[in-house]
Amino acid sequence: MTRTIRSLIIGITLSLGCVACTVGEGESAASPPSSPQDVPLQRLEEISLEGDPLSDMDSGPKPEKRQPVGEIHMGSHRIIAYVEGRKCGLLVINSAKGTPISLKAEWPQDADRGSSHLPAGPYRSSSASGSSASDPWASLSCGKKAMIVEYAPKASERSSAPHGSIAVANSRKSSSSFIVVGPKDVRADILNKLSADLKSG
């Protein structure tokens, strides 16, 4: 009797152990869904652009594929954000005068380099202003998972609805705007941080 009960217990224990092994194998085999914080810029949806403004930049060897991911109009200026390999790109086009600003920055390859002040960093930055007195100034911060543009026009400009993976916040202290490109959750985190910085600054 005792031997029979002992045999039953051992059999049940072994069965449960096998079930546990099977469940464990199934869980480890299934890859966890990627969080929005882990999505690189190249995975953003490519948008269609009116005309072909990015091809006008070509001079010399054919570059890596340019992927437009966001666009917005600020007054008479058309602002296009794009990805090119490991680089972020920004094109500001004046409908009357052509292209006053073209910027590129490569995201830092090492997490210890670049600025990590904002979420989804680190970032590497570049900035420029147009050659004429009426041209805007822009700064581009490039990270693997987001890009941030600070855009400062010389005069007040009304913005259009954004197109693509892009969001815009206007500074209450100046005429500058912050244009954030990335997955929706990442954009929200960055805009919250920018808003907090502007309030405390």
Side-chain angles (χ1 to χ4, degrees):
M1 186 75 170
T2 306
R3 185 176 295 174
T4 305
I5 292 171
R6 186 179 296 167
S7 297
L8 282 171
I9 291 171
I10 291 171
I12 291 169
T13 303
L14 287 173
S15 297
L16 289 173
C18 289
V19 169
C21 289
T22 305
V23 170
E25 287 173 1
E27 287 175 351
S28 61
S31 57
S34 60
S35 117
Q37 296 280 0
D38 296 329
V39 177
L41 288 171
Q42 290 96 332
R43 295 272 301 279
L44 296 177
E45 184 176 351
E46 184 171 338
I47 62 171
S48 58
L49 297 174
E50 183 180 341
D52 195 7
L54 297 182
S55 68
D56 294 341
M57 302 163 52
D58 293 338
S59 59
K62 187 175 180 181
E64 296 185 67
K65 179 189 174 186
R66 291 193 188 104
Q67 177 185 339
V69 291
E71 178 181 18
I72 190 167
H73 289 257
M74 296 277 199
S76 60
H77 292 93
R78 180 183 184 189
I79 301 169
I80 299 169
Y82 64 93
V83 182
E84 183 182 305
R86 296 179 55 88
K87 298 182 179 74
C88 306
L90 178 72
L91 199 60
V92 180
I93 304 169
N94 184 302
S95 56
K97 296 188 294 184
T99 307
I101 297 176
S102 177
L103 281 173
K104 281 186 192 177
E106 183 174 343
W107 67 66
Q109 298 184 30
D110 190 333
D112 295 332
R113 299 187 179 188
S115 168
S116 298
H117 172 63
L118 293 169
Y123 296 92
R124 184 173 288 153
S125 300
S126 65
S127 63
S129 59
S131 56
S132 88
S134 61
D135 285 338
W137 171 87
S139 169
L140 170 65
S141 296
C142 179
K144 184 177 181 180
K145 302 164 191 172
M147 65 176 92
I148 304 160
V149 175
E150 184 177 359
Y151 175 81
K154 290 295 193 300
S156 179
E157 295 182 341
R158 175 176 286 183
S159 63
S160 69
H163 175 40
S165 302
I166 187 171
V168 181
N170 296 319
S171 170
R172 295 179 181 178
K173 299 182 177 181
S174 69
S175 60
S176 294
S177 296
F178 292 95
I179 301 167
V180 181
V181 180
K184 187 176 181 180
D185 288 2
V186 174
R187 296 197 307 262
D189 286 348
I190 293 170
L191 289 173
N192 284 338
K193 175 63 173 166
L194 285 169
S195 176
D197 288 352
L198 288 171
K199 285 178 182 175
S200 62

